[in-house]
Amino acid sequence: MEAVPRKTTIREVAQAASVGIGTISRVLNSSSQVSRETRARVLEAIRRLGFRPNAQARRILKRRAEMVCFLLSNRDFLHPFHARILQGVESYASGLKQHVLFAALHYSPRTPPDRIDLPPVLQEHGLIDGLILAGTIYPNLLRRIESINMPFVAFSNNVVGMGDEEQFDQVGFDDFNGTLHATRHLIGKGHRHIVFAADVSYPWLRRRFEGYRQAMRENKLKHVLITSRNPQSFVDFGQKSAGRILSRQPRPTAAVAGNDEIAYGLWRSLRRQGVKVPDDISLVGFDDREEAVLMDPPLSTVRVDKEEIGETCMKMLLERLHHPRMTFSQRILPTEFVIRGTVRQL
Amino acid sequence: MEAVPRKTTIREVAQAASVGIGTISRVLNSSSQVSRETRARVLEAIRRLGFRPNAQARRILKRRAEMVCFLLSNRDFLHPFHARILQGVESYASGLKQHVLFAALHYSPRTPPDRIDLPPVLQEHGLIDGLILAGTIYPNLLRRIESINMPFVAFSNNVVGMGDEEQFDQVGFDDFNGTLHATRHLIGKGHRHIVFAADVSYPWLRRRFEGYRQAMRENKLKHVLITSRNPQSFVDFGQKSAGRILSRQPRPTAAVAGNDEIAYGLWRSLRRQGVKVPDDISLVGFDDREEAVLMDPPLSTVRVDKEEIGETCMKMLLERLHHPRMTFSQRILPTEFVIRGTVRQL
DNA sequence: CTGAAAGCGCTTACAG
DNA sequence: CTGAAAGCGCTTACAG
């Protein structure tokens, strides 16, 4: 390996400006204790030599890496949903001169905590100050993270298998109220036979189902859960659900899909069978993925502000770093029902 | 700010194992110069104290951050295309114990290089070893990066306004041959009236156009470029192009879209006008976005291996870091035409 | 093989 | 206000 070209150090700048290295450091850290003339001379020397202070050295002394890790678990690819969260984290972080490291992890919920093979960034110490957990989070991962004493905030919507007694910092959005409002909207438009399509073994889809059920109950309507066998994906789940919806008597006039992908599969399959959305059946989704707008007609769905989730995670993590003993907090961000073209007035 | 709980340092481990700190370091760096018994004793002490060496300190001495930055420029959001590249970078990097920092940048092509406001990570020194440039890259950004002596590799497909005389490490995929093969495929299926739809002021769409044109020329067919006025987006561009395609005499039997989004807009608008794909008109896209498979019928398109791009960028950057004076290299990765459902045999 | 020492590039009391 | 010195947590010749 060839030598890396040597960079200007603080000592050379000190020499050039005829001051001690401490003074350079003070100027760099905008300490008030430097005279105007000295500061100007130092600044000039810094500029002339193209000096950029070595960040690692400062970090040792500060005992702060000024860097957090965004850890995406059990995702085959960086889904647009999480990509947006990452961007929210980054944009908020960079405004505060904090850096964001991206890492991925694949693990099984059944691996004992101490056997989980953490990514390199978590095997060292001092590299990052804290962690933002995204992707699917099982209890064993939480145990593992706690065992290395790494402060973290979890994006909570994809947390699985955790009881309410679990205490940790978390940020999520409101699954329950999202479908509650979406379903109320359908009811307000005159719909009475409304089904819900999703695999409710996912806790977040279960919460969405509960929101839907609540809206139905408060209007004395019967709730119907549509599932499908061995789906390959959410889209496939939606496709397979279409037939089950159509075969019900009386035929439902509206469907609430557990997420936009299910809604997409549903829409596609319905259309193939000559059933028009929203003329023959109304449809609402959840998540407001980019593709929702592209559907034809564009999908009415529950919007989740992904950037805000990222931002809030970062904000909460920073608070945790500043106050290690603070009690844990949980933030649930509101959702918003977006009316587009897939709901018809009956 | 409360005190961060103090971590075990190398000195405490040395004391616990009754050796000098140098020996701990040697064990950590698996130097051969340590006796089995000593090594065992040290390892035991490390385990017992839960010691994880401070990464920053090592980095100062090694003069390597073991970290690179993935810099995404001028993108409102982390598009799935770039998200995949980032994942390729990360997965290759983590295998080599290298870390990946994510940063975003917004700049104008007209800002003078030294006025470009780089993200915090590039203002410090020693934080990262090198840079992977993604997103739209104009010459002024390149100048700016060069001015801080930061080694970099660029994802070259979105490079704009650069002459061939520009020398830098780059990785891209083959726009020209992608459409060349896609168009030949159409011709092989009996199509003669084939149009190309895209705004060719984007260099990469221009190259795709040239590939299309080449295929037409070698078969003595007339090329036709379809554009549209003031599109809001690529999808909108496609939608607006549909009418222009249909109004041509004789009516084209196939269209090559500059990318999948244009293809999507085209497909959607054609369908609305009662024109069926592929029965009435065949259609091919470019990029193989996730959504291509979801279209109905699924879109035949040119596949680009995004993970491989990321991987290759990382690999090339590492080579550059190890051999700073190596001549610049440029890698063009092949594309593959994926046959799905939007092309019909005439 | 191993320890003591020098040193990486910084920050920060300390003393003036 | 400023310099000289001590120190952060490591690595690596150097000497034995």
Side-chain angles (χ1 to χ4, degrees):
Chain A
M1 198 186 293
E2 295 180 33
V4 181
R6 272 197 73 263
K7 295 284 164 69
T8 311
T9 79
I10 200 171
R11 247 167 276 274
E12 303 175 63
V13 182
Q15 186 142 47
S18 314
V19 295
I21 59 167
T23 300
I24 308 294
S25 178
R26 282 175 208 116
V27 170
L28 251 26
N29 296 284
S30 42
S31 149
S32 52
Q33 316 289 65
V34 185
S35 74
R36 276 210 318 145
E37 304 90 81
T38 309
R39 178 182 303 275
R41 196 145 40 88
V42 168
L43 252 17
E44 165 58 16
I46 287 176
R47 206 198 50 70
R48 204 173 61 239
L49 298 177
F51 172 66
R52 286 179 302 150
N54 184 308
Q56 318 288 0
R58 193 186 58 239
R59 293 200 158 84
I60 294 187
L61 284 314
K62 297 276 188 190
R63 287 188 159 62
R64 273 268 137 72
E66 294 163 354
M67 178 142 45
V68 304
C69 174
F70 180 90
L71 181 62
L72 183 64
S73 295
N74 288 0
R75 287 290 182 272
D76 283 338
F77 75 108
L78 184 48
H79 195 286
F81 196 99
H82 282 95
R84 288 252 184 199
I85 296 180
L86 171 57
Q87 283 208 297
V89 170
E90 194 278 337
S91 82
Y92 186 79
S94 74
L96 270 56
K97 306 258 182 220
Q98 300 285 315
H99 308 116
V100 180
L101 219 143
F102 172 72
L105 167 68
H106 291 269
Y107 72 107
S108 153
R110 285 173 303 279
T111 307
D114 54 321
R115 304 284 305 276
I116 294 178
D117 206 16
L118 294 176
V121 48
L122 290 173
Q123 290 172 27
E124 305 184 70
H125 155 228
L127 225 189
I128 55 170
D129 297 323
L131 205 52
I132 291 173
L133 288 175
T136 316
I137 304 169
Y138 297 100
N140 59 340
L141 179 59
L142 245 40
R143 295 291 89 73
R144 182 70 166 108
I145 302 294
E146 284 165 358
S147 79
I148 59 170
N149 283 311
M150 178 63 72
F152 70 93
V153 171
F155 165 53
S156 64
N157 284 70
N158 297 349
V159 163
V160 180
M162 224 79 76
D164 286 341
E165 74 286 359
E166 297 278 353
Q167 292 295 312
F168 52 91
D169 289 315
Q170 46 188 301
V171 177
F173 57 85
D174 200 337
D175 288 309
F176 182 88
N177 278 300
T179 39
L180 176 64
H181 289 129
T183 310
R184 279 182 186 161
H185 175 81
L186 286 168
I187 295 169
K189 289 290 183 185
H191 294 268
R192 293 298 171 262
H193 297 287
I194 309 171
V195 300
F196 182 84
D199 174 354
V200 295
S201 69
Y202 292 94
W204 56 97
L205 294 181
R206 159 64 66 176
R207 289 190 293 270
R208 293 176 190 183
F209 173 60
E210 296 300 347
Y212 150 82
R213 194 154 67 161
Q214 165 72 20
M216 297 300 274
R217 194 177 331 161
E218 66 190 22
N219 287 279
K220 309 217 185 313
L221 298 173
K222 222 183 93 202
H223 68 262
V224 178
L225 175 63
I226 303 281
T227 57
S228 73
R229 241 184 275 285
N230 304 321
Q232 307 290 306
S233 65
F234 284 127
V235 172
D236 189 44
F237 184 101
Q239 298 198 137
K240 288 180 170 159
S241 304
R244 299 185 175 225
I245 293 176
L246 295 178
S247 64
R248 291 196 64 85
Q249 285 299 342
R251 198 209 260 184
T253 63
V256 177
N259 63 32
D260 287 353
E261 288 165 275
I262 295 174
Y264 179 86
L266 222 37
W267 168 75
R268 178 172 161 163
S269 184
L270 289 170
R271 194 165 53 76
R272 279 193 185 158
Q273 297 176 51
V275 179
K276 285 194 170 157
V277 173
D279 308 38
D280 302 323
I281 187 167
S282 292
L283 181 62
V284 306
F286 202 119
D287 284 347
D288 195 27
R289 298 189 43 158
E290 329 290 338
E291 298 80 17
V293 201
L294 296 180
M295 277 174 57
D296 195 9
L299 182 68
S300 294
T301 188
V302 178
R303 172 177 296 160
V304 177
D305 190 333
K306 297 106 191 166
E307 269 92 351
E308 193 188 0
I309 293 172
E311 219 181 280
T312 310
C313 284
M314 187 66 203
K315 204 178 291 183
M316 196 181 277
L317 181 55
L318 255 17
E319 276 174 41
R320 167 64 54 207
L321 295 177
H322 286 239
H323 308 288
R325 295 170 214 298
M326 190 178 66
T327 55
F328 292 113
S329 63
Q330 171 166 20
R331 283 211 45 192
I332 304 288
L333 301 174
T335 58
E336 177 196 358
F337 184 64
V338 189
I339 297 170
R340 287 201 272 249
T342 52
V343 174
R344 180 188 154 213
Q345 167 87 52
L346 279 198
Chain B
M1 199 186 295
E2 294 181 32
V4 181
R6 271 200 71 262
K7 295 285 164 68
T8 312
T9 79
I10 199 171
R11 247 168 276 271
E12 302 174 63
V13 182
Q15 187 141 46
S18 314
V19 295
I21 59 167
T23 300
I24 307 293
S25 178
R26 283 177 207 114
V27 170
L28 251 26
N29 296 285
S30 42
S31 150
S32 51
Q33 317 289 65
V34 186
S35 75
R36 277 209 316 145
E37 305 89 81
T38 310
R39 178 183 303 275
R41 197 146 39 89
V42 168
L43 252 18
E44 166 57 18
I46 286 176
R47 206 198 49 70
R48 205 173 61 240
L49 299 177
F51 172 65
R52 287 181 300 150
N54 183 306
Q56 318 288 358
R58 195 187 54 240
R59 294 200 158 83
I60 294 185
L61 283 315
K62 296 276 187 190
R63 289 188 157 63
R64 274 270 136 71
E66 293 163 356
M67 179 141 43
V68 304
C69 173
F70 180 90
L71 181 62
L72 182 64
S73 295
N74 288 1
R75 288 288 183 273
D76 283 337
F77 75 108
L78 184 47
H79 195 287
F81 196 100
H82 282 96
R84 287 253 182 200
I85 296 181
L86 170 58
Q87 282 208 297
V89 170
E90 194 278 338
S91 83
Y92 186 78
S94 74
L96 271 54
K97 306 257 182 220
Q98 300 285 316
H99 308 116
V100 180
L101 219 144
F102 172 71
L105 168 69
H106 290 268
Y107 72 106
S108 152
R110 285 174 304 280
T111 307
D114 54 320
R115 304 285 304 277
I116 294 178
D117 206 14
L118 294 177
V121 48
L122 291 173
Q123 289 172 29
E124 305 185 70
H125 156 228
L127 225 191
I128 55 168
D129 297 322
L131 203 55
I132 290 173
L133 287 176
T136 315
I137 305 168
Y138 297 99
N140 59 339
L141 179 59
L142 247 39
R143 293 293 88 74
R144 182 71 166 105
I145 303 295
E146 285 165 356
S147 79
I148 59 170
N149 281 312
M150 179 61 73
F152 71 94
V153 170
F155 166 52
S156 63
N157 284 70
N158 297 350
V159 163
V160 179
M162 225 78 76
D164 288 339
E165 73 287 0
E166 296 279 351
Q167 292 294 311
F168 53 92
D169 289 316
Q170 46 186 302
V171 176
F173 57 83
D174 201 337
D175 288 309
F176 182 87
N177 278 299
T179 38
L180 177 64
H181 289 128
T183 310
R184 279 181 185 161
H185 175 81
L186 287 168
I187 295 171
K189 290 288 182 186
H191 294 269
R192 293 297 172 263
H193 296 287
I194 310 170
V195 299
F196 182 85
D199 175 353
V200 295
S201 69
Y202 293 94
W204 56 96
L205 295 180
R206 158 63 68 175
R207 289 190 294 270
R208 294 176 189 184
F209 173 61
E210 295 299 347
Y212 151 82
R213 192 154 70 162
Q214 166 71 22
M216 296 302 273
R217 193 177 331 161
E218 66 191 20
N219 287 280
K220 309 220 186 313
L221 298 173
K222 223 182 95 201
H223 67 263
V224 178
L225 175 63
I226 304 281
T227 56
S228 73
R229 240 183 277 284
N230 305 322
Q232 307 289 305
S233 65
F234 283 127
V235 172
D236 190 45
F237 184 101
Q239 298 198 136
K240 288 181 171 159
S241 303
R244 299 189 174 220
I245 292 177
L246 295 177
S247 66
R248 291 196 63 86
Q249 287 299 343
R251 198 210 261 184
T253 64
V256 177
N259 63 33
D260 287 354
E261 288 165 275
I262 294 174
Y264 180 86
L266 221 36
W267 166 75
R268 178 172 162 163
S269 185
L270 288 169
R271 194 163 55 76
R272 279 192 185 160
Q273 298 177 49
V275 179
K276 285 195 169 155
V277 174
D279 308 38
D280 302 323
I281 188 166
S282 292
L283 181 62
V284 306
F286 202 118
D287 285 346
D288 195 27
R289 297 188 45 156
E290 330 288 340
E291 297 80 18
V293 200
L294 296 180
M295 277 175 56
D296 196 8
L299 182 67
S300 296
T301 187
V302 177
R303 171 178 296 158
V304 177
D305 190 333
K306 297 106 190 163
E307 269 92 350
E308 192 188 359
I309 292 171
E311 219 181 281
T312 310
C313 284
M314 188 65 202
K315 203 177 292 183
M316 195 181 278
L317 181 54
L318 255 19
E319 277 175 40
R320 166 64 54 206
L321 296 178
H322 286 240
H323 308 287
R325 294 171 216 296
M326 191 178 66
T327 55
F328 292 113
S329 64
Q330 171 166 20
R331 282 210 45 192
I332 303 288
L333 300 174
T335 58
E336 176 196 358
F337 184 64
V338 188
I339 297 171
R340 287 199 272 248
T342 52
V343 173
R344 179 188 154 214
Q345 167 88 53
L346 281 197

